[in-house]
């Protein structure tokens, strides 16, 4: 395992190598060399299975972290490739030529985060949503609760509570929910 | 057959292209009157209640308990309930829980193609007030704003026993002539349409799917 | 004139009895299928209630003139078929309009309803209807081959085209039935019968999982009520025809019911055990073994029975 | 048996040219969402040339509830009621994987008894799901006797669930830190009896369904997955095992008590619909066997729940993990990122149908007969909610 990481470090500018558990490692790589790294991992290192592609929204840092989860069936090792992209210029190289299901993930990311993958087939077709007219819903600045109440209304009589506050009121009613 | 009525009584079908407007009817739906003789109406209601054909459209997770309901253990066939694969022939629409916006469009389409008298059963808490998806951006919170519901069956999932009880309750309601959801839909047609168009942003179907 | 009117009245009575019997036997068959599947099944009244319900529907969307006429043609085909089949042998009242040469007329009428239905379903414009029609007609063409061969075989055997005479020739004990005198033709016809009833594995024109119930996809309300009535009537008529041609006919209603039920059971026993053929497989099936048996039956008649 | 699973250049996943609909040669047909031959609520946009399919597009999203968004604004214990709703036929896998991911990040040790109960729960779920699947496969080819038998029998398995967890479908049994309850009295005998009956039923099904000449005629040669398709298309589970690859997460990377259970990875050598169906039948038998082993080995006393922090104030430390389990369709995975707050940062649910129903289906459908689409769809064992979540 370490040999692989050394090899990768020799050829690529990988950093933030993080061994999460036996059988799973994550590393970070720049946006431009990510596709070459992934191709290399697939063709040379035996990471032939793409588990998924997903995205984490770090709104406070202004970045999207794309996660490509690759699996090697021979060494039973999972490698997570993290790629940071700018939240404002959300664009990433498409890997739809490497795996057949990759374009589906990219289509989903396009819809849910608005990330562009130039060249990816059927990218702008509706995936889950239909007639969506807001900012992409999985972005953290999109408040789904507010949107839901505005768009779908609210039935009188229904209210939802924060469990912590509710339980405080239940358990310590006399003290007005004050625990101490 | 294309029905074209007088201008004051037609629908706009604004969502359709000119070419498609020629293909779809723009007539308004009309409420149906009960038979003038009460005995005939009661007899008709009895027949309707004892022959409930459910549209085979699993709109949500509630569909999973419809299979045990229809198969050997609970066998709803005993009560005159049968599955029907096409909306034209079915009289009961079971909404299986939450309705996402994309499905809602298909629900409306299927519902309008059903021939009256038609009845809607909604399963679970989600169609009532959103349930645990009350804050989801893609599921509607109050289903009865879009389609009139005749009967709610509670539970997540409603067990097959509850479904059987619900179907019997629906039968009683039909026999008593109190299932007028389809007529409500027609009478408040503009209100329902406005609600539907508020959530369905790409309205590219006729205003009423004949 | 009066005699003719009386004949029509008699036929109306036959029609009524046969339709009711068809509905009842349909419910019974549903219950048998349900038993195999471990269920209880529908009550006996269910087919009647279904038809009533469909006639009591308050709205009906039409797709055009042929859409109206489709179910009418279909039921006309059903009634026409029954009109020329003698139902009870030796009973003037229930022998309908049987005449010399009625066998060909009956076979023609069996086609007629299907074609009318095809026109009506075609007008509905639903693609699944169109696919269902294509499947139904091609399957019908396929199973008509062994059936026609079997019919030709017994026509040669009895040297008549009249169903009444064919039944008459089979009287006088079970050993005179076509089933025993010309078992080859009966076998070919019974294989064709599987396709005719439309149970698995030959329900390819309905095929709910593939083309949601095929031709009648768009039919509803009273149209569907008519189709259901015809399904019961036509189903019972086919059974009576088979009983007359191959199983010695019936001299009373009880005998008719027992015999037709047993004939129906053949299709059910096969139906509950088998999945559905694909359309090309179904057609190939009919054009292979049953057709060969059909041809053999003619040879059998010529070489063995008539030599 | 050695098979090449590498990526060959010959395989190209370029999107085919859309057929020219205006030529009048083709018919466009929507199969679903309102269609009895479709698995769940999804739809296929088919273009037909006669009876043959020339192009297929999968449309999903009819069940999209935005789980991943909802989970970001619910506390860890609130999420737990939501996760099982992601996949209706197999909710348990969601519960287990969510709990496992949380436990792994926050370092909670699960007691031994809970491990066995979880294993048993997962295997029961596999059994119930397979029983439903066998019925579905048979029904897709127009044989309605077998679905009635299997679905009725699945109900007995659901009864076991009800005893064990209190619910038929959404159990919410596997909680972070363990399970919610032990086994009730007499559960073991009843479970063994039902397992016995299930084996008998499977024997009958093998006679009625798998030895049936028409079923063979329909399913043999339908939707062949070649071994060199497996990796490029991300095919997992029985679909991959049917073409000869012995890949089973339960064996390769054992979780829960699977390293202490005695079983072998089943792999077949016919990768058509029949081969896959037969493989699943064998896996059903394997599940019955595993449930028996769990009943044998599961400790009857001891704690079934680890000490947990107050869930109302529960903050999970910052971390990241990907956990997976072998559900009936293959690799089911949860990817979780936490940032030390009371809320999860990101959860990604990886359902095996994601690729089976879209990329694989769109490829396998081309060239098949319209009549076989339902059978093919079921044969891939797709389930839409785990695609769109």
């Amino acid at each position: 395992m370490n040999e692989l990481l050394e090899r990768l470090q020799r050829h690529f500018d990988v950093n933030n190598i993080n061994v999460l558990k036996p059988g799973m490692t994550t590393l970070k790589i720049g946006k431009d060399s990510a596709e070459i790294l992934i191709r290399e991992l697939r063709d040379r290192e035996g990471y032939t299975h793409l588990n998924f592609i997903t995205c984490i929204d770090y709104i406070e840092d202004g970045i999207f972290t794309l996660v490509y989860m690759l699996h090697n069936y021979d060494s039973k090792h999972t490698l997570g490739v993290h790629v940071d992209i700018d939240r404002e210029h959300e664009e990433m190289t498409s890997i739809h030529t490497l795996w057949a299901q990759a374009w589906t993930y990219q289509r989903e990311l396009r819809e849910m985060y608005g990330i562009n993958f130039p060249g990816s087939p059927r990218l702008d077709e509706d995936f889950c949503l239909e007639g969506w007219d807001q900012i992409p819903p999985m972005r953290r600045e999109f408040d789904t609760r507010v949107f839901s109440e505005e768009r779908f209304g609210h039935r009188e009589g229904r209210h939802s509570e924060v469990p912590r506050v509710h339980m405080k009121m239940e358990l310590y009613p006399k003290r007005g929910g004050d625990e101490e | 057959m294309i029905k074209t009525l007088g201008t004051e009584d037609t629908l706009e079908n604004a969502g359709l292209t000119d070419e498609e407007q020629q293909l779809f009817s723009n007539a308004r739906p009309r409420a149906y009157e009960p038979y003038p003789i009460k005995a005939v109406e009661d007899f008709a209601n009895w027949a309707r209640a004892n022959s409930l054909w459910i549209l085979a459209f699993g709109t949500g997770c509630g569909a999973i308990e419809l299979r045990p309901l229809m198969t050997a253990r609970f066998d709803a066939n005993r009560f005159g309930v049968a599955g029907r694969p096409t909306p034209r022939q079915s009289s009961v629409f079971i909404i299986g829980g939450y309705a996402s916006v994309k499905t809602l469009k298909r629900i409306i389409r299927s519902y309008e193609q059903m021939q009256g008298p038609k009845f809607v059963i909604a399963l679970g808490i989600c169609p009532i007030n959103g349930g645990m998806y009350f804050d989801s951006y893609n599921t509607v919170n109050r289903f009865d704003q879009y389609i009139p519901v005749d009967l709610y069956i509670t539970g997540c999932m409603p067990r097959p026993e509850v479904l059987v009880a619900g179907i019997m309750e629906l039968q009683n309601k039909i026999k008593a002539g109190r299932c007028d959801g389809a007529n409500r839909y027609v009478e408040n047609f503009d209100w329902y349409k406005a609600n539907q168009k508020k959530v369905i942003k790409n309205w590219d179907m006729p205003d009423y799917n004949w | 004139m009066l005699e003719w009117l009386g004949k029509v009245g008699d036929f109306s009575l036959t029609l009524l009895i046969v339709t009711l019997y068809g509905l009842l036997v349909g419910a019974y068959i549903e219950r048998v299928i349900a038993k195999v599947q471990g269920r209880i099944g529908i009550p006996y009244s269910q087919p009647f209630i279904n038809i009533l319900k469909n006639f009591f529907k308050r709205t009906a969307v039409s797709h055009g003139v042929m859409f109206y006429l489709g179910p009418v043609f279909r039921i006309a085909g059903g009634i026409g078929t029954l009109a020329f089949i003698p139902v009870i042998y030796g009973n003037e009242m229930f022998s309908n309009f049987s005449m010399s040469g009625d066998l060909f007329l009956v076979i023609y009428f069996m086609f007629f309803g299907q074609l009318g239905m095809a026109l009506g379903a075609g007008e509905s414009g639903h693609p699944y209807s169109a696919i269902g029609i294509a499947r139904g007609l091609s399957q019908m063409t396929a199973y008509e081959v062994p059936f026609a061969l079997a019919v030709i075989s017994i026509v040669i055997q009895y040297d008549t085209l009249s169903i009444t005479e064919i039944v008459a020739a089979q009287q006088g004990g079970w050993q005179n039935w076509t089933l025993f005198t010309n078992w080859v033709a009966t076998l070919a016809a019974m294989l064709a019968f599987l396709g005719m009833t439309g149970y698995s594995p030959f329900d390819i024109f309905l095929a709910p999982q593939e083309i949601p119930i095929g031709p009648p996809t768009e039919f509803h309300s009273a149209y569907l009520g008519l189709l259901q009535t015809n399904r019961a009537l036509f189903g019972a008529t086919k059974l009576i025809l088979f009983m007359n041609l191959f199983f010695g006919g019936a001299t009373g209603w009880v005998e008719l019911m027992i015999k037709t039920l047993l004939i129906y059971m053949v299709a059910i026993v096969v139906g509950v055990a088998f999945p559905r053929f694909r359309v090309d497989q179904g057609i190939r099936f009919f054009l292979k073994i049953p057709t060969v048996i059909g041809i053999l039956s003619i040879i059998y008649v010529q070489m063995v029975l008539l030599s | 048996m050695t098979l090449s699973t590498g990526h060959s250049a010959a395989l190209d996943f370029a999107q085919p040219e859309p057929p020219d609909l205006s030529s009048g040669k083709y018919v466009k047909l929507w199969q679903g969402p309102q269609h009895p031959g479709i698995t769940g609520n999804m739809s296929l946009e088919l273009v037909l040339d006669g009876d043959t399919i020339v192009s297929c597009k999968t449309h999903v999203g009819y069940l999209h509830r935005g789980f991943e968004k909802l989970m970001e604004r619910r506390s860890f214990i609130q999420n737990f009621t939501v996760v099982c709703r992601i996949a209706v036929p197999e909710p348990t896998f969601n519960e287990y994987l969510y709990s496992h991911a949380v436990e792994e990040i926050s370092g909670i040790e699960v007691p031994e008894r809970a491990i066995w109960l979880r294993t048993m729960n997962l295997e029961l779920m596999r059994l119930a799901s397979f029983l439903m699947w066998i019925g579905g496969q048979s029904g897709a080819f127009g044989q309605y006797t077998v679905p009635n038998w299997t679905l009725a029998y699945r109900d007995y398995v659901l009864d076991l669930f009800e005893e064990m967890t209190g619910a038929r479908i959404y159990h919410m049994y596997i909680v972070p830190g363990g399970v919610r309850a032990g086994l009730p009295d007499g559960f073991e005998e009843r479970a063994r009896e039902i397992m016995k009956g299930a084996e008998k039923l499977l024997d009958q099904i093998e006679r009625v369904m798998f030895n049936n000449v028409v079923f063979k005629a329909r399913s043999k040669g339908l939707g062949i997955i070649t071994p060199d398709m497996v990796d490029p298309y991300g095919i997992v589970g029985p679909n991959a095992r049917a073409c000869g690859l012995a890949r089973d997460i339960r064996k390769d990377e054992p979780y829960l008590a699977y390293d202490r259970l005695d079983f072998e990875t089943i792999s077949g050598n016919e990768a058509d619909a029949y081969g896959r169906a037969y493989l699943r039948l064998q896996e059903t038998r394997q599940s019955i066997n595993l449930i028996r082993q769990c009943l044998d080995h599961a400790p009857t006393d001891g704690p079934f729940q680890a000490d947990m922090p107050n869930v109302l104030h529960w903050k999970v430390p910052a971390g990241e993990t990907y956990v997976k389990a072998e559900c009936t369709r293959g690799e089911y995975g949860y990817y979780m990122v936490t940032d030390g707050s009371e809320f999860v940062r990101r959860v990604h649910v990886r359902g095996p149908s994601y690729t089976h129903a879209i990329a694989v289906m769109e490829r396998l459908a081309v060239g098949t007969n319209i009549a076989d689409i339902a059978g093919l769809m079921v044969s891939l064992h797709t389930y839409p909610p785990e695609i769109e979540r």
Side-chain angles (χ1 to χ4, degrees), chain A residues 132-143:
Chain A
W132 187 252
D133 52 357
Q134 307 283 315
I135 55 168
M138 281 299 283
R139 286 181 174 236
R140 278 186 95 84
E141 69 258 37
F142 176 76
D143 191 332

Side-chain angles (χ1 to χ4, degrees), chain C residues 116-134:
Chain C
M117 182 68 196
L119 290 171
E123 176 111 19
S124 76
H126 201 288
Y128 285 129
S129 289
I131 297 176
I133 291 295

Side-chain angles (χ1 to χ4, degrees), chain D residues 352-375:
Chain D
S353 302
Y354 201 94
T355 167
H356 292 167
I358 301 179
V360 181
M361 182 68 196
E362 285 180 4
R363 183 192 157 110
L364 293 183
V366 172
T368 53
N369 193 303
I370 172 83
D372 288 332
I373 282 295

Side-chain angles (χ1 to χ4, degrees), chain A residues 20-21 24 26 42-43 48-60 67 69 71 73 76 78 82 96-101 103-105 107-108 112-113 121-122 125 127-129 137-140 142-145 161 163-164 167 179, chain D residues 5-7 13 15 56-62 64 68-70 72-73 75 78 104 231-236 247 251-253 310 312-313 320-324 331 335 337 339 342 344-346 348 350-351 354-355 358-359 362 387-389:
Chain A
L20 294 173
K21 58 180 174 184
M24 184 172 170
T26 61
R42 186 192 78 161
D43 292 342
T48 50
H49 178 54
L50 173 72
N51 291 77
F52 60 85
I53 308 171
T54 190
C55 173
I56 311 162
D57 186 356
Y58 289 107
I59 189 168
E60 57 274 19
V67 183
M69 197 63 74
H71 186 73
Y73 277 113
K76 292 168 188 166
T78 307
H82 288 214
H96 68 273
T97 51
L98 302 186
W99 279 281
Q101 80 267 38
W103 65 267
T104 320
Y105 285 106
R107 198 168 134 207
E108 186 185 345
M112 292 294 164
Y113 289 92
R122 290 162 67 184
E125 273 180 37
F127 185 65
C128 286
L129 308 169
M138 281 299 283
R139 286 181 174 236
R140 278 186 95 84
F142 176 76
D143 191 332
T144 170
R145 172 111 196 239
E161 314 221 23
R164 190 168 44 185
M167 285 308 287
E179 224 172 305
Chain D
T5 58
H7 286 251
F13 354 102
Q15 292 288 309
C56 168
K57 271 188 188 181
T58 310
H59 290 262
V60 295
Y62 300 101
H64 180 64
E68 289 167 5
K69 184 80 181 176
L70 298 188
E72 285 175 18
R73 58 180 306 280
S75 66
Q78 280 180 300
E104 203 170 288
D231 275 349
Y233 278 84
I235 298 166
V236 289
R247 285 176 183 171
K251 198 79 189 167
D252 298 341
E253 299 162 67
N310 184 344
L312 299 175
H313 301 268
E320 175 187 357
T321 190
Y322 177 60
V323 291
K324 54 188 178 179
E331 173 192 339
Y335 175 68
V337 181
D339 52 7
E342 289 174 47
V344 67
R345 184 85 209 192
R346 179 83 170 93
H348 179 88
R350 187 242 188 257
Y354 201 94
T355 167
I358 301 179
E362 285 180 4
I387 303 170
E388 50 223 26
R389 307 179 294 279

